[in-house]
Amino acid sequence: MTSDALLTSPPTPVDTPQDRLRRAKDAARSVARLTSDEKRAVLHAIADALVARRAEIVEANGEDLVRGEHDGIGASLRDRLRLDDARIAGLADAVRQVAALPDPVGELVRGQRMYNGVMLEERRVPFGVVGAIYEARPNVTVDIAALALQSGNAVVLRGGSAARSSNTVLVSVMREALSAHGVPADAVQSVDAFGRDGARALMHGRGFVDVLVPRGSASLIETVVTESTVPVIETGAGNVHIVLDVSAPDDWARDIVVNAKVQRPSVCNAVETVLVVRAGAERLVGPVVAALQREGVTVHGDATVASLAADVVPATDEDWETEYLSLDIAMRVVDTLDDAISHIRRYSTGHTESIVTADVRNAERFLDEVDSAAVFANASTRFTDGSEFGFGAEVGISTQKLHARGPMGLPELTSTKWVGRGSGQVRR
Amino acid sequence: MTSDALLTSPPTPVDTPQDRLRRAKDAARSVARLTSDEKRAVLHAIADALVARRAEIVEANGEDLVRGEHDGIGASLRDRLRLDDARIAGLADAVRQVAALPDPVGELVRGQRMYNGVMLEERRVPFGVVGAIYEARPNVTVDIAALALQSGNAVVLRGGSAARSSNTVLVSVMREALSAHGVPADAVQSVDAFGRDGARALMHGRGFVDVLVPRGSASLIETVVTESTVPVIETGAGNVHIVLDVSAPDDWARDIVVNAKVQRPSVCNAVETVLVVRAGAERLVGPVVAALQREGVTVHGDATVASLAADVVPATDEDWETEYLSLDIAMRVVDTLDDAISHIRRYSTGHTESIVTADVRNAERFLDEVDSAAVFANASTRFTDGSEFGFGAEVGISTQKLHARGPMGLPELTSTKWVGRGSGQVRR
């Protein structure tokens, strides 16, 4: 039996995904009661164990990479899948950073003395069991588990099958560190071994899964949102816009567009479409396009853009809908700020939009009327990020309006409960 | 053509539930921008119009009642369906009370100056379109619409078909009041005329319905939660417990149990099961059962309860699961507080539980370990209520952990967005 077969051996017949959810729910009670000190100790033990067992992790990851090459997955996917000593050290550091974050559990959200003397308070409590469905990125396995534990939750993971050998070792490293600290190992579980049934159990785990976070492609998120009967927090997709107003200063327009596209094109807060208000187009389009092209960006423009700059690829309606996540950008000239806002209303995924303008009325109108998780005036869209906002770590960026909107930190992985202390009060 | 046929005439062929959702989404933009003063004026106009057109409302309601009697609906349902002048005056008063509540829209939730000088703030904004699916209670039509409007949202309603004539008039009264104040009438819409298709459109209205609130029976809520692909806030079901600890004072035990059962037995925060810790049973069970029986309550007890009190109906496992919503109560003697907490963990719907005890350790343990939206020590479970908590009005009581938990007021009908004001900042 090879190490791979051992690692991914099927579960015994009595072990079902539902059994694992049930055990996670039981374990959640223990995790919820851990003190901040205890959680910090567990997370540091996990970080240390990741480093100590890096050879084993790299070996398992090697099996995933070989299988991936055999299955013909692309180079960029293989790069995201790869773990080496340096990346494992980075993973361990990330866990230690989570351990250093303030513990959200127990925070007094609000409270009052009721009219009848009952002392009422709303306290932050863990959700219980957090589910996560994601793609073949083994770092997410450790990230989400650390965030869930620090916020007092148990976690059930379903990662992409291409990372299954890596994930099996990573989960076992975390479970052993939990056990060594007297915390039930079942606080961190994987349902990878059950394939699609594992994902289905998570999506239909009412009464066992308190919140489910999908992380990955738009289609993965769409599937999870559509199929789940448990509460889901939708994250991610970003068809992000920047509007260049008539009064946009030349340097701000150029620097913000270039930064938002080029600084890290593959992430959800990178800009995808630039809308230029017509009266400013002649002044702005040429220099902005040239600055983008100097950084290797392909500009997909409408006819007006093409008439004002060289080497512009003709844009179609499809370009307005596309989240390129690459060194491509769409650019359109619109008649008015109203038209820009209408374009955004039609095509935006509600993640982040920014306006560059010197006109305070237009800035405020844009900030007020554009209905996205984050709206900026005169700043790069790349700032929509948990670390940039000072949250220390990020669970994801919520593009829904329920529960959390924008970058989610640890408090977004908790709920609250009302606690009332009386002395015999009854209702009249 | 009778007046009934006029009121419930089928929609014209070009009008689909999806069309109405689309128009609600457009109207939502106008509602979101109303000032507090404007919203107050609209709600007062709605209240005045309800009173002015009460004859018309009572007439339509009469049609529902006649149809209901013909269809054989029960007396208590007919009572909840009935509108008379006094009840309409009450409805109008409720709308005026909502108008007097603080406007949640625009509230600064938190904010900071980012390390690079960008001024960042998280502001409360309306959801957009709130959907509601509920049963044949015409008061809910007006309640939910008022709450949605005051929190800056458009609303799409799907009420029980037994109330369709009443709802048609109520919705038209509200729409005319909106129009008269320059607000798009489509901010308040009903999809009742489309029957099941209307409910389905709401549940599958991704991109158009920002949050869906089911109000009614457990089975209605279950259907909505299971079938919806839009975010749902689950409200309501309350299998509520009171634990009488060994040290429970006689008078608190008796008064709290009787109040929690008898003061209003038909509501979700009324107690359904009392758990008595064995060492206190001999002292507590007899007097508590007698006090309940004096108020006309039927006690369903286990063998120990039956041995300590007269006229106890034998309880089965089914009683522990039952939300009676009537003058019935289940009572069980458990060995320890641990057993009481285990019973609650197994049978509770996570709404409200209370302990009666003089022992601070047991009180704190109960408050800490019982995972319900509201937990009390030495107070009636009937206090889990928006008005009692000082929210002024109640959208419902959330029994889920995402977004809102416990009584929901106006702020729970809003989301937030991040607003950043910069001066050319880009990410390094």
Side-chain angles (χ1 to χ4, degrees):
Chain A
M1 198 179 240
T2 67
S3 138
D4 183 67
L6 261 172
L7 290 171
T8 60
S9 61
T12 56
V14 292
D15 185 23
T16 69
Q18 285 76 18
D19 289 329
R20 296 201 181 180
L21 295 184
R22 203 168 292 121
R23 295 204 304 269
K25 188 179 176 178
D26 285 340
R29 304 209 315 263
S30 304
V31 182
R33 288 204 289 274
L34 294 176
T35 64
S36 306
D37 281 350
E38 288 164 339
K39 287 189 281 197
R40 199 174 304 123
V42 166
L43 289 179
H44 277 276
I46 287 175
D48 294 344
L50 288 170
V51 173
R53 292 172 63 177
R54 62 189 179 280
E56 193 184 336
I57 296 168
V58 170
E59 190 193 334
N61 184 249
E63 293 164 8
D64 287 332
L65 289 168
V66 168
R67 196 175 346 94
E69 195 148 18
H70 180 264
D71 295 348
I73 69 171
S76 79
L77 272 179
R78 278 212 309 284
D79 179 59
R80 298 205 288 187
L81 179 54
R82 186 186 315 276
L83 291 176
D84 54 24
D85 284 7
R87 285 189 177 182
I88 292 168
L91 264 182
D93 277 347
V95 173
R96 291 192 191 99
Q97 278 167 29
V98 170
L101 293 175
D103 184 347
V105 176
E107 185 201 340
L108 180 62
V109 178
R110 49 182 164 168
Q112 84 251 29
R113 188 164 180 268
M114 280 175 65
Y115 63 93
N116 57 8
V118 171
M119 296 301 292
L120 193 64
E121 58 187 39
E122 187 183 15
R123 289 251 170 226
R124 206 166 276 294
V125 296
F127 269 123
V129 177
V130 173
I133 298 183
Y134 52 100
E135 288 167 343
R137 300 183 67 168
N139 61 314
V140 175
T141 303
V142 177
D143 265 0
I144 293 257
L147 291 161
L149 290 171
Q150 177 71 353
S151 50
N153 295 290
V155 64
V156 182
L157 303 157
R158 170 68 171 92
S161 57
R164 64 173 183 261
S165 302
S166 313
N167 285 342
T168 303
V169 178
L170 291 171
V171 167
S172 107
V173 166
M174 292 192 284
R175 288 169 60 92
E176 286 173 27
L178 288 167
S179 289
H181 277 74
V183 181
D186 286 336
V188 174
Q189 299 201 56
S190 162
V191 289
D192 285 2
F194 304 97
R196 288 271 314 148
D197 285 347
R200 263 193 293 270
L202 277 173
M203 293 189 285
H204 295 276
R206 273 173 59 72
F208 295 94
V209 177
D210 294 290
V211 63
L212 182 56
V213 183
R215 265 176 71 163
S217 69
S219 74
L220 177 139
I221 293 168
E222 178 69 23
T223 301
V224 171
V225 168
T226 308
E227 201 180 312
S228 290
T229 58
V230 299
V232 172
I233 300 182
E234 202 171 337
T235 60
N239 190 14
V240 168
H241 298 76
I242 293 177
V243 175
L244 303 181
D245 192 20
V246 190
S247 62
D250 295 307
D251 52 345
W252 291 4
R254 182 194 62 225
D255 294 350
I256 288 173
V257 169
V258 170
N259 179 261
K261 179 78 261 180
V262 171
Q263 201 249 357
R264 198 167 167 207
S266 66
V267 292
C268 57
N269 56 19
V271 67
E272 305 295 2
T273 296
V274 174
L275 301 166
V276 188
V277 176
R278 192 169 302 279
E282 203 165 355
R283 174 174 61 89
L284 294 164
V285 167
V288 171
V289 169
L292 285 164
Q293 289 170 338
R294 275 195 299 277
E295 300 288 338
V297 176
T298 302
V299 177
H300 306 251
D302 69 1
T304 315
V305 171
S307 76
L308 294 168
D311 299 322
V312 170
V313 177
T316 66
D317 278 358
E318 208 186 314
D319 285 287
W320 315 136
E321 291 167 2
T322 302
E323 191 183 356
Y324 298 111
L325 299 172
S326 62
L327 285 176
D328 291 81
I329 199 165
M331 192 176 290
R332 182 180 197 176
V333 172
V334 292
D335 287 336
T336 62
L337 178 57
D338 268 318
D339 292 337
I341 292 174
S342 296
H343 179 108
I344 289 169
R345 191 168 290 133
R346 174 151 177 206
Y347 294 106
S348 170
T349 53
H351 188 295
T352 300
E353 334 292 338
S354 183
I355 187 171
V356 184
T357 182
D359 181 333
V360 72
R361 291 162 304 181
N362 289 354
E364 292 305 312
R365 227 195 109 195
F366 183 88
L367 296 173
D368 192 40
E369 292 186 23
V370 173
D371 185 25
S372 297
V375 285
F376 290 98
N378 301 316
S380 172
T381 57
R382 290 275 295 112
F383 289 121
T384 307
D385 178 282
S387 311
E388 294 291 309
F389 279 20
F391 298 171
E394 187 181 278
V395 180
I397 295 175
S398 166
T399 52
Q400 71 179 35
K401 295 182 184 173
L402 201 73
H403 184 70
R405 199 169 188 207
M408 293 189 287
L410 284 183
E412 281 70 34
L413 280 186
T414 65
S415 182
T416 61
K417 80 176 175 192
W418 290 92
V419 175
R421 294 181 180 82
S423 48
Q425 284 88 345
V426 298
R427 188 157 165 191
R428 302 292 164 204
Chain B
M1 198 180 239
T2 67
S3 139
D4 183 66
L6 262 172
L7 291 171
T8 61
S9 62
T12 57
V14 291
D15 186 22
T16 69
Q18 286 76 18
D19 290 329
R20 296 201 181 180
L21 295 184
R22 204 168 292 120
R23 295 204 304 269
K25 188 178 176 178
D26 286 341
R29 304 209 317 262
S30 304
V31 182
R33 287 205 289 275
L34 294 176
T35 64
S36 306
D37 281 351
E38 288 165 339
K39 287 188 281 199
R40 198 174 304 122
V42 166
L43 289 179
H44 277 277
I46 287 175
D48 294 344
L50 288 169
V51 173
R53 291 171 65 179
R54 62 188 179 282
E56 193 183 336
I57 296 167
V58 170
E59 190 192 333
N61 184 250
E63 293 164 8
D64 286 332
L65 289 168
V66 168
R67 195 173 348 94
E69 195 149 19
H70 181 264
D71 294 350
I73 68 171
S76 80
L77 273 179
R78 278 212 309 285
D79 180 57
R80 298 204 290 187
L81 178 55
R82 185 186 316 276
L83 291 176
D84 54 24
D85 285 7
R87 286 188 177 183
I88 293 168
L91 264 181
D93 277 346
V95 172
R96 291 191 191 99
Q97 278 166 30
V98 169
L101 293 175
D103 184 347
V105 176
E107 184 201 341
L108 179 62
V109 178
R110 50 183 164 169
Q112 83 251 30
R113 188 164 180 269
M114 280 175 65
Y115 63 94
N116 56 9
V118 171
M119 296 300 293
L120 194 63
E121 58 187 39
E122 187 182 16
R123 288 250 170 227
R124 204 167 277 294
V125 297
F127 270 122
V129 177
V130 172
I133 297 183
Y134 51 100
E135 289 167 342
R137 300 183 67 169
N139 62 314
V140 175
T141 303
V142 176
D143 265 0
I144 293 256
L147 291 161
L149 291 170
Q150 177 71 354
S151 51
N153 295 290
V155 65
V156 181
L157 303 157
R158 169 68 172 92
S161 58
R164 65 173 184 261
S165 302
S166 313
N167 285 342
T168 304
V169 178
L170 292 171
V171 167
S172 105
V173 167
M174 293 191 282
R175 288 170 59 92
E176 285 172 27
L178 287 168
S179 290
H181 277 74
V183 181
D186 286 336
V188 174
Q189 299 201 57
S190 162
V191 289
D192 285 2
F194 303 97
R196 289 272 312 148
D197 285 347
R200 263 193 293 270
L202 278 173
M203 293 190 284
H204 294 276
R206 273 173 59 72
F208 296 94
V209 177
D210 294 289
V211 64
L212 183 55
V213 182
R215 265 176 73 163
S217 69
S219 73
L220 177 139
I221 293 168
E222 178 69 22
T223 301
V224 171
V225 167
T226 307
E227 199 179 317
S228 290
T229 58
V230 299
V232 172
I233 300 182
E234 203 171 335
T235 60
N239 189 14
V240 168
H241 298 75
I242 293 177
V243 175
L244 303 181
D245 192 21
V246 190
S247 63
D250 294 306
D251 52 346
W252 291 4
R254 181 194 62 225
D255 294 350
I256 288 173
V257 169
V258 169
N259 179 261
K261 178 78 261 179
V262 170
Q263 201 249 359
R264 199 167 167 208
S266 67
V267 292
C268 56
N269 57 18
V271 67
E272 305 295 2
T273 296
V274 174
L275 301 166
V276 188
V277 175
R278 191 169 304 279
E282 202 166 356
R283 176 174 60 89
L284 293 164
V285 167
V288 171
V289 168
L292 285 164
Q293 289 170 339
R294 274 196 299 276
E295 299 288 339
V297 177
T298 302
V299 177
H300 306 251
D302 70 0
T304 315
V305 171
S307 75
L308 294 168
D311 299 322
V312 170
V313 177
T316 65
D317 279 358
E318 208 186 312
D319 285 287
W320 315 136
E321 291 167 2
T322 302
E323 191 182 356
Y324 298 110
L325 299 172
S326 62
L327 285 177
D328 291 82
I329 198 165
M331 193 176 291
R332 182 180 197 176
V333 173
V334 292
D335 287 336
T336 62
L337 178 57
D338 268 317
D339 292 337
I341 292 175
S342 296
H343 178 108
I344 289 169
R345 191 168 291 133
R346 173 150 177 207
Y347 294 107
S348 170
T349 53
H351 188 297
T352 300
E353 334 292 337
S354 184
I355 186 172
V356 184
T357 182
D359 181 334
V360 72
R361 292 162 303 181
N362 289 354
E364 292 305 313
R365 230 196 105 194
F366 183 88
L367 296 174
D368 192 39
E369 292 186 23
V370 173
D371 185 26
S372 297
V375 285
F376 290 98
N378 300 316
S380 172
T381 58
R382 290 275 296 114
F383 289 121
T384 306
D385 178 283
S387 310
E388 294 291 310
F389 280 20
F391 298 171
E394 187 181 279
V395 179
I397 295 175
S398 166
T399 52
Q400 70 179 34
K401 295 182 185 175
L402 202 74
H403 184 71
R405 198 169 188 209
M408 293 189 288
L410 284 183
E412 280 70 33
L413 280 187
T414 65
S415 181
T416 62
K417 81 176 174 190
W418 290 92
V419 175
R421 295 181 179 84
S423 49
Q425 284 88 345
V426 298
R427 189 157 165 191
R428 301 292 164 203

